[in-house]
């Protein structure tokens, strides 16, 4: 067979093609219509819940200080009664593991549940869109306003909207920084115009990031910037719940009068009203199947259910279902049985085990840490033949009140501390003490001998830490 010749394009043709197919296409602005319904109510409930915690808890006090404060300068994290030191960062690592596993688990069960309900991008976009609706009106009013020529009214509305957006963004940045610098102090500095350069930078950085992401970029962050959108499909399988259009029930689509017997007209339940597309914040048509742009926000479920209700049809033409259930016509009970499949049970068991282990470890955590370093000077042999070694004990008090600790030593017959054996350490601080330890002549062989320091809370002897060390005897 003769090979097909490869067409050679002239420079002119190539230039023309480049003009026809630009590498960059400007995004079309999306004007989402408001959806009302069960899922929207849940989404708003979560917006209120997460944002009340975020904006509110920075102002809470506990034991005379900010209840939640990540004090990077002092390298201490305060979370209500808990003080976390750099040595405790294992708990933060465990928290990250728990978060990652939860994300795997919830994605396996119900796809982009996190994106649709709890992701900051979704939450702030929802808040910014609400402001936009309040200022500029509903979808049609906003489209009309944008199409119209610049007028004093349009200018005023745009200024008002951007002014409120910026205020919310800057307030969000201020609250965020308030978790790292005591927020009352930060507020006083703002009012007195004495804010430091770093605080100013981070407030504006985080503020403008919120304004830009939730006000301007919106669905483009989810579509083009978020890596989760790209790899989440690896966690999906045919039993994962996703927002799906039931094509078997909906097609063929077409308009009809409310009381018409649509089946006799050869139509499905979809009236082709386009509401599911109009409410979609990413501007996609869910009837074309599962798409990576879908954030699982469920607005199309509420929008379509509203139409079904108006038409007097069963709700759920667009609903949470699985690929397997849809293909095999499973009822809801059989579908849920398959949703809780071995993979989900294994993820749940691992997650539960890690959470329980972390909680038990945290509950049993001794609020004190001791670090022992032997002084590198040579052991001292006294005139009576006793031998001394010197140690530096670094004692960290993880409680918020001052504690007096008593230090004892054991491991060699007759071993004792010659210097002061008590030390008071202020709350959430650490302090070093030098300790001289002595053993009687001939009580230990030459070389390294194991000893242990026992550091005990004077008032609460149950709080105790034993730390191993070596005692050097000259050969
Ligand atoms: S398709 Fe539906 S669930 Fe997906 S983003 Fe659009 S409205 Fe939300
Ligand atoms: S909202 Fe429902 S009825 Fe309307 S076009 Fe979408 S799927 Fe069809």
């Amino acid at each position: 067979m003769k090979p097909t010749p490869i067409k050679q394009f002239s420079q002119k043709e190539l230039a023309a093609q480049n003009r026809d197919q630009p590498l960059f296409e400007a995004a079309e602005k999306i004007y989402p219509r408001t959806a009302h319904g069960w899922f929207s109510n849940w989404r708003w409930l979560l917006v209120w819940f997460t944002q009340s915690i975020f904006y509110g808890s920075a102002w809470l006090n506990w034991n005379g200080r900010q209840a939640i404060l990540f004090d990077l300068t002092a390298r201490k994290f305060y979370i209500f009664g808990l003080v976390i030191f750099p040595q405790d960062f294992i708990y933060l690592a465990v928290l990250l593991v728990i978060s990652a596993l939860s994300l795997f688990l919830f994605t396996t069960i119900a796809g982009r549940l996190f994106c649709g309900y709890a992701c900051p991008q979704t939450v702030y976009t929802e808040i910014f869109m609400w402001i936009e609706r309040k200022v500029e009106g509903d979808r049609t009013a906003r489209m009309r306003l944008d199409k119209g020529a610049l007028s004093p009214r349009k200018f005023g509305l745009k200024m008002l909207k951007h002014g409120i957006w910026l205020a919310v963004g800057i307030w969000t940045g201020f609250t965020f920084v308030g978790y790292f610098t005591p927020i009352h102090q930060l507020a006083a500095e703002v009012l007195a115009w004495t804010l430091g350069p770093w605080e100013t930078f981070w407030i504006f950085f985080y503020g403008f990031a919120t304004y830009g992401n939730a006000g301007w970029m919106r669905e483009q962050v989810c579509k083009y910037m978020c890596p989760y959108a790209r790899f989440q499909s690896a966690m999906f399988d045919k039993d994962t719940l996703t927002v799906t259009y039931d094509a078997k029930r909906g097609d063929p689509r077409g308009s009809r009068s409310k009381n018409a017997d649509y089946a006799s007209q050869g139509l499905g339940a979809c009236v082709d009203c386009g509401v599911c597309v109009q409410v979609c914040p990413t501007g996609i048509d869910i009837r074309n199947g599962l798409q990576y742009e879908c954030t699982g926000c469920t607005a199309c479920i509420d929008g379509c259910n509203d139409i079904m209700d108006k038409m007097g049809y069963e709700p759920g033409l667009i609903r949470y279902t699985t690929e397997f259930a849809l293909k095999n016509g499973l009822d809801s009970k059989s579908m849920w049985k398959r949703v809780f499949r071995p993979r989900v049970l294994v993820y749940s068991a691992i997650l539960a085990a890690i959470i329980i282990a972390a909680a038990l470890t945290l509950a049993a955590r001794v609020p004190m840490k001791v670090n022992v370093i032997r002084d590198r000077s040579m052991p001292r042999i006294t005139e009576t033949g006793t031998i001394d070694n010197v140690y530096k004990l670094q004692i960290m008090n993880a409680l918020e009140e001052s504690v007096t600790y008593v230090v004892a030593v054991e491991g060699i017959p007759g071993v004792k501390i010659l210097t002061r054996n008590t030390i008071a350490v202020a709350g959430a601080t650490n302090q070093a003490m030098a300790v001289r330890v002595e053993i009687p002549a001939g009580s230990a062989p030459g070389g390294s001998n194991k000893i242990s320091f026992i550091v005990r809370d004077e008032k609460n002897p149950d709080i105790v830490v034993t730390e191993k060390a070596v005692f050097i005897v000259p050969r």
Side-chain angles (χ1 to χ4, degrees):
M1 206 171 118
K2 230 173 144 189
T4 319
I6 297 167
K7 181 171 170 27
Q8 298 291 318
F9 291 104
S10 69
Q11 286 300 321
K12 218 172 165 186
E13 283 172 321
L14 283 171
Q17 280 179 7
N18 286 343
R19 267 202 306 279
D20 291 338
Q21 296 169 346
L23 285 175
F24 171 78
E25 193 181 1
E28 243 181 68
K29 188 171 175 184
I30 295 168
Y31 296 87
R33 179 177 165 154
T34 319
H36 301 282
W38 195 85
F39 289 101
S40 298
N41 293 344
W42 269 105
R43 214 170 38 253
W44 271 108
L45 198 72
L46 271 156
V47 169
W48 276 103
F49 177 69
T50 52
Q51 296 318 293
S52 308
I53 292 177
F54 174 69
Y55 290 110
S57 52
W59 297 93
L60 295 180
N61 277 337
W62 184 272
N63 270 352
R65 53 139 178 98
Q66 193 168 316
I68 302 174
L69 181 67
F70 305 116
D71 191 343
L72 295 178
T73 324
R75 290 190 285 169
K76 274 176 242 162
F77 286 4
Y78 299 94
I79 302 168
F80 292 91
L82 195 68
V83 184
I84 296 183
F85 289 84
Q87 290 86 337
D88 295 318
F89 267 48
I90 180 74
Y91 293 111
L92 290 185
V94 171
L95 192 67
L96 284 179
V97 170
I98 290 174
S99 309
L101 265 176
S102 305
L103 197 63
F104 290 166
L105 175 65
F106 292 123
T107 307
T108 308
I109 295 175
R112 295 179 75 170
L113 212 52
F114 171 75
C115 301
Y117 291 89
C119 172
Q121 177 62 24
T122 313
V123 167
Y124 286 106
T125 302
E126 191 87 38
I127 295 171
F128 275 51
M129 285 200 309
W130 178 82
I131 296 168
E132 191 172 58
R133 278 198 300 274
K134 291 290 159 199
V135 176
E136 295 183 356
D138 63 12
R139 179 175 190 262
T140 326
R142 293 199 306 274
M143 288 168 88
R144 212 181 300 129
L145 186 75
D146 280 1
K147 268 199 193 121
L150 187 64
S151 65
R153 180 179 171 273
K154 181 173 176 176
F155 183 74
L157 287 177
K158 294 285 175 195
M159 289 299 283
L160 180 63
K161 179 181 84 174
H162 286 284
I164 301 175
W165 278 359
L166 273 170
V168 173
I170 299 294
W171 186 250
T172 308
F174 171 80
T175 308
F176 182 74
V177 175
Y179 281 100
F180 297 89
T181 300
I183 201 160
H184 288 93
Q185 178 195 322
L186 201 65
E189 285 174 5
V190 170
L191 293 175
W193 288 92
T194 54
L195 206 58
W198 279 112
E199 279 102 350
T200 311
F201 170 78
W202 284 113
I203 289 175
F204 280 99
F205 178 82
Y206 199 78
F208 279 110
T210 309
Y211 168 74
N213 286 341
W216 290 93
M217 296 180 68
R218 297 186 177 176
E219 78 289 345
Q220 295 186 55
V221 174
C222 311
K223 275 180 170 177
Y224 307 117
M225 290 164 71
C226 177
Y228 178 59
R230 307 286 158 167
F231 72 74
Q232 39 114 14
S233 56
M235 291 174 250
F236 277 37
D237 62 24
K238 58 185 187 317
D239 289 311
T240 298
L241 288 165
T242 50
V243 177
T244 312
Y245 165 73
D246 186 346
K248 267 191 201 164
R249 192 186 142 198
D251 288 355
R253 310 159 195 171
S255 56
R256 77 291 306 268
S257 63
K258 187 179 172 186
N259 297 319
D261 177 6
Y262 64 85
S264 66
Q265 293 175 21
L267 292 172
C270 175
V271 300
D272 211 8
C273 60
V275 166
C276 50
V277 182
Q278 290 169 16
V279 295
C280 179
T282 62
I284 58 167
D285 187 343
I286 191 67
R287 294 174 299 173
N288 295 336
L290 184 64
Q291 294 143 74
Y292 80 90
E293 293 97 332
C294 174
T295 58
C297 74
T298 61
C300 54
I301 301 186
D302 282 334
C304 187
N305 279 348
D306 199 26
I307 299 297
M308 295 292 107
D309 190 41
K310 283 183 183 138
M311 295 298 291
Y313 300 170
E314 275 282 302
L317 178 58
I318 301 177
R319 62 180 184 274
Y320 264 123
T321 189
T322 68
E323 188 194 327
F324 187 88
L326 206 61
K327 200 170 166 189
N328 297 285
L330 297 190
D331 60 16
S332 144
K333 202 175 157 193
S334 322
M335 180 191 79
W336 279 104
K337 255 191 200 165
R338 288 189 61 95
V339 167
F340 292 103
R341 52 205 183 279
R343 183 174 162 181
V344 168
L345 299 180
V346 169
Y347 279 165
S348 307
I350 295 173
L351 188 61
I354 294 177
I355 292 174
I356 292 169
L360 290 178
T361 317
L362 204 58
R365 171 181 181 253
V366 179
M368 178 214 326
K369 284 204 167 38
V370 179
N371 194 14
V372 180
I373 303 165
R374 205 188 74 81
D375 194 286
R376 294 178 77 182
S377 58
M378 287 300 287
R380 189 172 70 105
I381 304 170
T382 64
E383 286 166 3
T384 56
T386 60
I387 305 160
D388 291 359
N389 275 204
V390 177
Y391 299 85
K392 185 180 151 199
L393 267 64
Q394 191 79 33
I395 301 177
M396 193 180 81
N397 175 10
L399 293 172
E400 292 204 59
E401 64 272 16
S402 175
V403 175
T404 300
Y405 297 103
V406 182
V407 183
V409 65
E410 63 178 29
I412 297 175
V415 63
K416 63 179 181 198
I417 293 175
L418 288 184
T419 46
R420 184 170 58 95
N421 74 331
T422 58
I423 183 169
V425 183
T429 61
N430 60 65
Q431 208 166 313
M433 75 184 289
V435 174
R436 183 176 287 278
V437 175
E438 183 192 81
I439 60 166
S443 58
S448 291
N449 294 271
K450 285 180 186 158
I451 59 166
S452 300
F453 285 94
I454 301 122
V455 184
R456 206 180 290 273
D457 181 333
E458 192 180 40
K459 283 197 190 138
N460 189 353
D462 289 340
I463 298 180
V464 59
V465 166
T466 302
E467 196 64 25
K468 289 191 171 65
V470 289
F471 189 98
I472 307 288
V473 175
R475 291 180 197 274

